[in-house]
Short mmCIF file of all heavy atoms in Angstrom, two decimals:
data_model
loop_
_atom_site.label_atom_id
_atom_site.label_comp_id
_atom_site.label_asym_id
_atom_site.label_seq_id
_atom_site.Cartn_x
_atom_site.Cartn_y
_atom_site.Cartn_z
N LEU A 22 12.15 3.57 -5.58
CA LEU A 22 11.18 3.07 -4.59
C LEU A 22 11.73 2.84 -3.24
O LEU A 22 12.97 2.46 -3.17
CB LEU A 22 10.44 1.89 -5.17
CG LEU A 22 9.66 2.13 -6.52
CD1 LEU A 22 10.30 1.51 -7.65
CD2 LEU A 22 8.29 1.79 -6.42
N ARG A 41 -5.06 7.52 -14.22
CA ARG A 41 -4.67 8.45 -15.17
C ARG A 41 -4.99 7.77 -16.68
O ARG A 41 -4.77 8.37 -17.77
CB ARG A 41 -3.28 8.63 -15.26
CG ARG A 41 -2.68 9.52 -14.04
CD ARG A 41 -2.96 10.90 -14.15
NE ARG A 41 -2.30 11.53 -15.35
CZ ARG A 41 -2.46 12.88 -15.63
NH1 ARG A 41 -3.17 13.59 -14.88
NH2 ARG A 41 -1.76 13.33 -16.75
N THR A 90 28.21 0.90 -16.62
CA THR A 90 29.48 1.62 -16.18
C THR A 90 29.28 3.02 -16.46
O THR A 90 28.41 3.57 -17.16
CB THR A 90 30.66 1.05 -17.07
OG1 THR A 90 30.52 1.38 -18.46
CG2 THR A 90 30.80 -0.59 -16.93
N LEU A 94 27.37 5.25 -19.33
CA LEU A 94 26.49 6.31 -18.95
C LEU A 94 26.79 7.48 -19.77
O LEU A 94 25.92 8.23 -20.36
CB LEU A 94 26.68 6.60 -17.43
CG LEU A 94 25.88 7.87 -17.01
CD1 LEU A 94 24.35 7.70 -17.04
CD2 LEU A 94 26.27 8.25 -15.58
N ILE A 118 23.45 19.11 -8.55
CA ILE A 118 23.64 17.65 -8.89
C ILE A 118 23.63 16.99 -7.64
O ILE A 118 24.70 17.31 -6.79
CB ILE A 118 24.80 17.45 -9.83
CG1 ILE A 118 24.56 18.31 -11.04
CG2 ILE A 118 24.84 15.97 -10.04
CD1 ILE A 118 25.83 17.89 -12.14
N VAL A 148 25.59 27.01 -10.34
CA VAL A 148 25.35 26.15 -9.40
C VAL A 148 24.71 26.90 -8.15
O VAL A 148 25.28 27.77 -7.61
CB VAL A 148 26.56 25.38 -8.86
CG1 VAL A 148 26.28 24.46 -7.67
CG2 VAL A 148 27.14 24.50 -10.07
N PRO A 167 23.17 -6.45 1.48
CA PRO A 167 24.17 -5.69 2.35
C PRO A 167 25.37 -6.49 2.78
O PRO A 167 26.24 -5.88 3.25
CB PRO A 167 23.27 -5.28 3.59
CG PRO A 167 22.28 -6.40 3.69
CD PRO A 167 21.93 -6.75 2.33
N PRO A 174 29.30 -0.18 -9.01
CA PRO A 174 27.76 -0.37 -9.05
C PRO A 174 27.35 -1.23 -10.16
O PRO A 174 27.96 -1.39 -11.16
CB PRO A 174 27.26 1.11 -9.47
CG PRO A 174 28.43 1.79 -10.02
CD PRO A 174 29.78 1.29 -9.44
N ILE A 177 23.95 2.41 -13.25
CA ILE A 177 24.00 3.76 -12.99
C ILE A 177 22.99 4.58 -13.83
O ILE A 177 22.73 4.26 -15.05
CB ILE A 177 25.43 4.46 -13.33
CG1 ILE A 177 26.49 3.46 -12.74
CG2 ILE A 177 25.53 5.78 -12.84
CD1 ILE A 177 27.90 3.64 -13.46
N ARG A 199 -1.79 10.31 16.95
CA ARG A 199 -3.15 10.49 16.57
C ARG A 199 -4.03 10.78 17.82
O ARG A 199 -3.84 10.26 18.90
CB ARG A 199 -3.63 9.23 15.90
CG ARG A 199 -4.99 9.46 15.18
CD ARG A 199 -5.22 8.28 14.12
NE ARG A 199 -4.19 8.20 13.12
CZ ARG A 199 -4.03 7.12 12.26
NH1 ARG A 199 -4.81 6.19 12.47
NH2 ARG A 199 -3.10 7.12 11.37
N ILE A 202 -6.83 6.49 19.03
CA ILE A 202 -6.45 5.30 18.53
C ILE A 202 -7.23 4.16 19.15
O ILE A 202 -7.45 4.21 20.36
CB ILE A 202 -4.91 5.07 18.76
CG1 ILE A 202 -4.49 5.09 20.20
CG2 ILE A 202 -4.06 5.99 17.94
CD1 ILE A 202 -3.15 4.67 20.45
N ASN A 204 -8.17 -0.15 19.41
CA ASN A 204 -7.49 -1.33 19.73
C ASN A 204 -6.80 -1.96 18.43
O ASN A 204 -5.77 -2.76 18.61
CB ASN A 204 -8.25 -2.36 20.32
CG ASN A 204 -7.57 -3.39 21.14
OD1 ASN A 204 -6.54 -2.99 21.80
ND2 ASN A 204 -8.11 -4.55 21.17
N MET A 207 -4.99 0.93 12.13
CA MET A 207 -4.05 0.60 11.05
C MET A 207 -2.93 1.43 11.01
O MET A 207 -3.08 2.70 11.13
CB MET A 207 -4.84 0.57 9.81
CG MET A 207 -4.09 0.08 8.52
SD MET A 207 -3.44 -1.59 8.61
CE MET A 207 -4.98 -2.53 8.75
N LEU A 226 -17.18 7.80 -2.64
CA LEU A 226 -17.93 7.29 -1.46
C LEU A 226 -17.24 5.96 -1.04
O LEU A 226 -17.34 5.06 -1.77
CB LEU A 226 -19.37 7.24 -1.57
CG LEU A 226 -20.15 6.82 -0.29
CD1 LEU A 226 -19.94 7.99 0.75
CD2 LEU A 226 -21.70 6.64 -0.69
N LYS A 262 -14.14 17.46 6.40
CA LYS A 262 -15.19 17.58 5.36
C LYS A 262 -15.41 16.32 4.59
O LYS A 262 -16.38 16.17 3.83
CB LYS A 262 -14.91 18.79 4.41
CG LYS A 262 -13.70 18.55 3.41
CD LYS A 262 -13.48 19.79 2.55
CE LYS A 262 -12.16 19.47 1.79
NZ LYS A 262 -11.99 20.69 0.72
N ASP A 266 -20.14 9.72 8.13
CA ASP A 266 -20.71 9.33 9.45
C ASP A 266 -20.29 7.84 9.68
O ASP A 266 -19.66 7.15 8.80
CB ASP A 266 -22.32 9.36 9.39
CG ASP A 266 -22.80 9.72 10.70
OD1 ASP A 266 -22.07 9.57 11.75
OD2 ASP A 266 -23.94 10.13 10.83
N VAL A 267 -20.57 7.50 10.89
CA VAL A 267 -20.41 6.11 11.43
C VAL A 267 -21.68 5.49 11.79
O VAL A 267 -22.47 6.17 12.54
CB VAL A 267 -19.46 6.10 12.57
CG1 VAL A 267 -19.39 4.65 13.18
CG2 VAL A 267 -17.95 6.36 12.12
N ILE A 286 -14.77 -0.16 -1.10
CA ILE A 286 -14.86 -0.78 0.17
C ILE A 286 -13.50 -1.09 0.66
O ILE A 286 -12.70 -1.98 0.06
CB ILE A 286 -15.83 -1.98 0.19
CG1 ILE A 286 -17.22 -1.52 -0.30
CG2 ILE A 286 -15.75 -2.56 1.52
CD1 ILE A 286 -18.09 -2.74 -0.38
N ARG A 300 -21.23 -11.98 16.23
CA ARG A 300 -22.16 -11.32 15.45
C ARG A 300 -23.50 -11.54 16.45
O ARG A 300 -23.56 -12.40 17.26
CB ARG A 300 -22.57 -11.92 14.16
CG ARG A 300 -22.87 -13.35 14.03
CD ARG A 300 -22.97 -13.86 12.68
NE ARG A 300 -23.07 -15.24 12.66
CZ ARG A 300 -23.18 -15.95 11.44
NH1 ARG A 300 -23.19 -15.20 10.27
NH2 ARG A 300 -23.30 -17.17 11.46
N ILE A 307 -35.49 -17.85 22.06
CA ILE A 307 -35.62 -16.74 22.88
C ILE A 307 -37.04 -16.35 23.03
O ILE A 307 -37.71 -16.05 22.05
CB ILE A 307 -34.64 -15.54 22.39
CG1 ILE A 307 -33.20 -16.01 22.31
CG2 ILE A 307 -34.86 -14.32 23.47
CD1 ILE A 307 -32.37 -14.84 21.76
N PRO A 321 -28.67 -7.61 22.54
CA PRO A 321 -28.83 -8.83 21.67
C PRO A 321 -27.73 -9.91 22.23
O PRO A 321 -26.72 -9.66 22.53
CB PRO A 321 -28.52 -8.36 20.34
CG PRO A 321 -27.69 -7.21 20.53
CD PRO A 321 -28.19 -6.52 21.68
N LEU A 336 -17.52 -10.43 0.66
CA LEU A 336 -17.52 -10.42 -0.85
C LEU A 336 -19.02 -10.40 -1.27
O LEU A 336 -19.17 -9.69 -2.45
CB LEU A 336 -16.88 -11.78 -1.27
CG LEU A 336 -15.40 -11.76 -1.49
CD1 LEU A 336 -14.68 -11.36 -0.28
CD2 LEU A 336 -14.85 -13.04 -2.06
N ARG A 348 -13.65 -1.12 -6.23
CA ARG A 348 -12.69 -2.12 -5.67
C ARG A 348 -13.06 -2.40 -4.25
O ARG A 348 -13.33 -1.38 -3.44
CB ARG A 348 -11.31 -1.65 -5.93
CG ARG A 348 -10.87 -1.66 -7.32
CD ARG A 348 -9.28 -1.48 -7.46
NE ARG A 348 -8.83 -1.87 -8.84
CZ ARG A 348 -7.62 -2.00 -9.17
NH1 ARG A 348 -6.65 -1.68 -8.34
NH2 ARG A 348 -7.27 -2.24 -10.37
N GLN A 372 -13.18 -9.61 -9.54
CA GLN A 372 -11.96 -10.18 -10.14
C GLN A 372 -10.71 -9.98 -9.26
O GLN A 372 -10.75 -8.70 -8.64
CB GLN A 372 -11.72 -9.46 -11.46
CG GLN A 372 -10.37 -10.00 -12.13
CD GLN A 372 -10.04 -9.23 -13.40
OE1 GLN A 372 -10.85 -8.44 -13.71
NE2 GLN A 372 -9.15 -9.64 -14.14
N PHE A 401 -27.95 -16.78 -8.01
CA PHE A 401 -27.24 -17.77 -7.16
C PHE A 401 -25.73 -17.37 -7.06
O PHE A 401 -25.05 -18.32 -6.49
CB PHE A 401 -27.33 -19.13 -7.76
CG PHE A 401 -28.70 -19.62 -7.89
CD1 PHE A 401 -29.47 -19.70 -9.11
CD2 PHE A 401 -29.40 -20.01 -6.68
CE1 PHE A 401 -30.72 -20.14 -9.11
CE2 PHE A 401 -30.70 -20.48 -6.77
CZ PHE A 401 -31.38 -20.62 -8.01
N PHE A 426 -2.15 -18.38 18.47
CA PHE A 426 -1.65 -18.46 19.79
C PHE A 426 -0.80 -19.72 20.11
O PHE A 426 0.06 -19.88 20.96
CB PHE A 426 -2.76 -18.41 20.85
CG PHE A 426 -3.37 -16.98 20.93
CD1 PHE A 426 -4.62 -16.70 20.58
CD2 PHE A 426 -2.55 -16.13 21.57
CE1 PHE A 426 -5.10 -15.42 20.64
CE2 PHE A 426 -3.15 -14.63 21.69
CZ PHE A 426 -4.45 -14.49 21.21
N THR A 434 7.74 -21.61 24.80
CA THR A 434 8.23 -22.90 25.24
C THR A 434 9.67 -22.97 24.85
O THR A 434 10.49 -23.34 25.77
CB THR A 434 7.58 -24.04 24.90
OG1 THR A 434 6.17 -23.81 25.27
CG2 THR A 434 7.94 -25.44 25.52
N ASN A 437 11.90 -20.55 26.88
CA ASN A 437 11.96 -21.00 28.28
C ASN A 437 12.92 -22.22 28.30
O ASN A 437 13.74 -22.31 29.33
CB ASN A 437 10.70 -21.52 28.87
CG ASN A 437 9.69 -20.24 28.97
OD1 ASN A 437 10.26 -19.14 29.17
ND2 ASN A 437 8.48 -20.56 29.12
#
Side-chain angles (χ1 to χ4, degrees):
L22 296 113
R41 297 279 299 178
T90 65
L94 174 66
I118 299 177
V148 173
I177 312 164
R199 197 164 295 173
I202 56 172
N204 203 33
M207 179 63 61
L226 184 60
K262 66 178 182 180
D266 210 341
V267 167
I286 296 174
R300 63 180 171 184
I307 301 176
L336 267 62
R348 287 192 169 187
Q372 179 182 4
F401 296 108
F426 286 112
T434 302
N437 290 336

